[in-house]
Amino acid sequence: MRPILYRKLGRFDLWVLNDGDFWLDGGSMFGVVPRVLWAKLTPPDEQNRIRLGLNPLLVRMGERYILIEAGLDRKGDEKFRKIYGLSEGSPVLGQLALLGLRPEDISLVIHTHLHFDHAGLNTRWVEGRLRPTFPKARHLVQKQELEDALRPHERSQASYRAENVEPLWEAGRFELVEGEAEVLPGVRLVPAAGHTLGMQVVELESEGERLVYTGDLVALRAQVPLLYIPAFDLYPMTTLETRKRLYARWLEEGYLLCFTHEPGHPLGRLVRNEKGYAAEAVDEGFT
C-alpha cells in the first residue's frame, strides 16, 4: 500500500492519503478506446478489471484541516466487497490517526461528487446507527450534484448510495455551491460537468504554486488524452468540452495534478505532444 505523501504548497500543507485499491472493468474505464490500446497502459486482470487507487487529499490551512474526498464506501455486504475487490476497514481513518488526527479534527470535507467511491466515508455505523464520520465538518458540494444524488435515475442509482448522502442531508451538514466559488483563500471549486452534471474539481493556489484535484474528470494519468473518456460518464461530450477548457488553463498556468484514482504515484503534470495531451508522473517536493 502506498505510503502517505507530504508536500508544502505555499502556505498549505498537503498529504495525499491512500484509501487502498479497488477494481473496475477496464473497458468501461476507457469507453470507446479499444482494449488493445488501454491494456498497454493499465493491464487488466482475468476478469478484465483494472486496479484503481483511492487518493483523498488532506489540506492544512493554519489550524484548519480540509479533506478533499471522503474515501470509499465499505459498508456494503460481502457481495459488494467481492465485486470491487475491497478489503474491510477504512485505511483513511487509520492514516489520519498516524498524523495525530481524529475525525473530529476535520472541519471541512469537499466532494468532487457523491458517488460511493468518493463519499463513502461520509457515514459509518456506530452502535447500530449511521452517524456522520466527521461530526464537526461541513460538506461542500455543488447544488446540482446533491439534487442528483438524492434523486438518482436508472443510470446513476448504482453509483449513489443513500446511506452516504441522506443522513448528512437530514442533519443539515451539506453546504451547497452553485458554479465557481473561492470557498477559502486559495481554495477554489470549479464546475467540471461530464462524469456527472454536478461534478467539480478543486484548485489550490498559494504563493505562486498551483495544484488541482481532478476528481473523475480525469481519474488516471492514462485517461488524460481527450478522447479517453469512461463509459461511466453520463455526459461524455460535455466531458470532452470540459477537458478542453480546463486542460488549456492547467497547462498554461503550470498546475500540478492530483489524480483521484491513480494506483501508483498520484501526481502529474500535463504536457502536449504530437497526439495531443498526456501527463508525466512527478513527485516535485513530495516525501
Side-chain angles (χ1 to χ4, degrees):
M1 185 164 153
R2 175 184 58 76
I4 300 171
L5 300 175
Y6 170 77
R7 187 192 197 276
K8 291 283 288 185
L9 187 88
R11 64 183 180 279
F12 300 148
D13 292 289
L14 306 181
W15 292 267
V16 186
L17 307 180
N18 185 347
D19 197 31
D21 298 328
F22 73 121
W23 297 77
L24 281 180
D25 180 77
S28 296
M29 285 299 292
F30 288 93
V32 299
V33 178
R35 187 181 191 273
V36 68
L37 296 179
W38 64 256
K40 296 176 182 178
L41 305 173
T42 52
D45 69 3
E46 66 281 357
Q47 298 181 55
N48 205 50
R49 303 178 306 176
I50 62 171
R51 183 169 69 95
L52 301 178
L54 295 153
N55 305 312
L57 182 63
L58 179 68
V59 182
R60 182 169 65 190
M61 299 179 61
E63 300 300 315
R64 183 195 304 264
Y65 287 93
I66 302 164
L67 186 62
I68 302 176
E69 307 286 56
L72 189 143
D73 187 353
R74 289 179 171 84
K75 297 185 288 294
D77 58 17
E78 183 177 350
K79 179 182 178 181
F80 177 82
R81 290 195 295 273
K82 184 176 181 180
I83 288 172
Y84 296 106
L86 300 177
S87 61
E88 296 188 36
S90 173
V92 165
L93 294 181
Q95 293 188 344
L96 290 176
L98 287 175
L99 296 172
L101 298 175
R102 303 166 302 155
E104 293 83 358
D105 295 319
I106 304 299
S107 62
L108 184 65
V109 177
I110 300 176
H111 298 286
T112 62
H113 61 303
L114 293 171
H115 284 174
F116 71 85
D117 53 322
H118 296 258
L121 203 57
N122 279 355
T123 61
R124 56 178 171 167
W125 290 105
V126 178
E127 298 178 351
R129 294 184 60 188
L130 279 174
R131 307 274 191 176
T133 301
F134 306 103
K136 297 183 178 180
R138 298 175 295 134
H139 288 249
L140 264 63
V141 68
Q142 289 285 328
K143 181 174 183 285
Q144 179 71 59
E145 180 66 17
L146 181 61
E147 290 174 351
D148 291 344
L150 291 171
R151 291 183 291 276
H153 51 66
E154 292 87 347
R155 176 85 191 276
S156 65
Q157 62 188 2
S159 297
Y160 292 122
R161 296 173 65 88
E163 60 266 36
N164 301 325
V165 179
E166 290 181 359
L168 268 65
W169 171 243
E170 293 166 358
R173 295 300 183 86
F174 282 113
E175 185 170 313
L176 304 184
V177 178
E178 294 188 72
E180 188 167 328
E182 186 171 23
V183 294
L184 290 167
V187 180
R188 181 167 294 276
L189 309 183
V190 179
H195 183 62
T196 70
L197 200 57
M199 250 274 302
Q200 63 184 359
V201 297
V202 185
E203 295 182 352
L204 305 176
E205 181 175 1
S206 179
E207 298 177 0
E209 295 190 87
R210 299 179 176 92
L211 177 143
V212 58
Y213 191 85
T214 61
D216 279 356
L217 175 65
V218 51
L220 306 162
R221 281 199 308 276
Q223 280 184 335
V224 163
L226 287 173
L227 297 181
Y228 282 37
I229 296 171
F232 296 117
D233 284 22
L234 298 178
Y235 308 92
M237 293 307 297
T238 304
T239 295
L240 178 59
E241 294 307 313
T242 300
R243 285 182 172 190
K244 288 178 179 178
R245 172 172 53 87
L246 292 180
Y247 280 13
R249 183 164 60 80
W250 293 344
L251 180 65
E252 180 181 355
E253 298 182 8
Y255 273 82
L256 186 65
L257 277 63
C258 183
F259 295 103
T260 309
H261 289 313
E262 179 61 44
H265 194 77
L267 287 309
R269 285 192 188 275
L270 291 176
V271 296
R272 291 298 302 265
N273 56 33
E274 67 280 2
K275 295 182 179 180
Y277 286 99
E280 296 178 343
V282 297
D283 52 22
E284 294 193 16
F286 278 87
T287 58

